[in-house]
Amino acid sequence: AAPSVVSMEAGPASHEGEPTMRFMILVKATPQTEAGVMPEEQLIATMTDYHQQLAEAGALLDASGLQPSAKGWRIRYEGGKRTVVDGPFAETKELVAGYTVIQARSREEALEWTRRFPAPDGGTGTCEIEVRQLFELEDFGPSEAIERFRELGAGMQQRAS
């Protein structure tokens, strides 16, 4: 069976009112994830414990597993034309199997959280996560287009109403 998408969204951030940065933890695909092999119950429990700690600290914004690339596609842009390329994609090491988005007050805080991220393969082989900071709308100069994004709520940190 193919992996399904499970989304977890946290409640209000514990550092509400303080400036925060967002980071995406990218779980790199492996031949097993691309084959649709579901994680073992112990790994799911370990990941749930970790994400629960993130949520309780107000750091978790989103997390999800991704279906294998065989169920996806890419859009290639070339010379003003768009071409749809159906999966699967051969470069497994370039693919993403899942992600977690966190917010932190600093790069150091985000680094501490990611050092605690459970081994995505349960510690049985070689796997990798990659961490990238997200741009905030404030990182761009003021413009009409940025204001339109702000009105859409795009690129905004999730906050409880």
Side-chain angles (χ1 to χ4, degrees):
S4 60
V5 173
V6 178
S7 185
M8 299 170 274
E9 294 193 17
S14 64
H15 25 279
E16 187 130 345
E18 296 179 38
T20 57
M21 300 176 249
R22 294 178 301 158
F23 295 84
M24 179 176 276
I25 303 166
L26 301 164
V27 177
K28 297 299 190 113
T30 65
Q32 292 77 22
T33 62
E34 276 298 288
V37 175
M38 296 299 283
E40 305 225 349
E41 179 63 23
Q42 180 57 48
L43 177 57
I44 294 170
T46 302
M47 285 290 186
T48 301
D49 291 344
Y50 172 78
H51 285 82
Q52 184 174 359
Q53 292 170 30
L54 285 169
E56 289 170 355
L60 180 64
L61 295 177
D62 191 23
S64 192
L66 302 176
Q67 298 272 350
S69 69
K71 293 189 171 190
W73 59 90
R74 293 177 175 167
I75 306 291
R76 179 172 294 135
Y77 299 87
E78 188 174 351
K81 294 185 178 189
R82 294 180 175 123
T83 305
V84 176
V85 180
D86 288 320
F89 306 113
E91 323 83 35
T92 302
K93 66 183 178 186
E94 301 294 324
L95 300 175
V96 176
Y99 69 91
T100 298
V101 180
I102 63 172
Q103 64 182 355
R105 288 178 284 269
S106 66
R107 181 184 187 280
E108 293 73 25
E109 181 184 356
L111 182 58
E112 285 307 312
W113 277 115
T114 56
R115 280 187 175 135
R116 296 172 46 198
F117 197 94
D121 69 346
T124 60
T126 302
C127 56
E128 185 174 86
I129 63 171
E130 177 180 332
V131 183
R132 305 277 299 271
Q133 185 173 351
L134 277 66
F135 279 110
E136 305 299 342
L137 291 178
E138 293 73 27
D139 294 329
F140 299 91
S143 74
E144 183 180 328
I146 294 299
E147 286 310 310
R148 287 175 49 212
F149 263 108
R150 194 178 315 281
E151 290 169 11
L152 292 171
M156 304 287 286
Q157 295 179 18
Q158 297 177 5
R159 302 256 185 227
S161 301

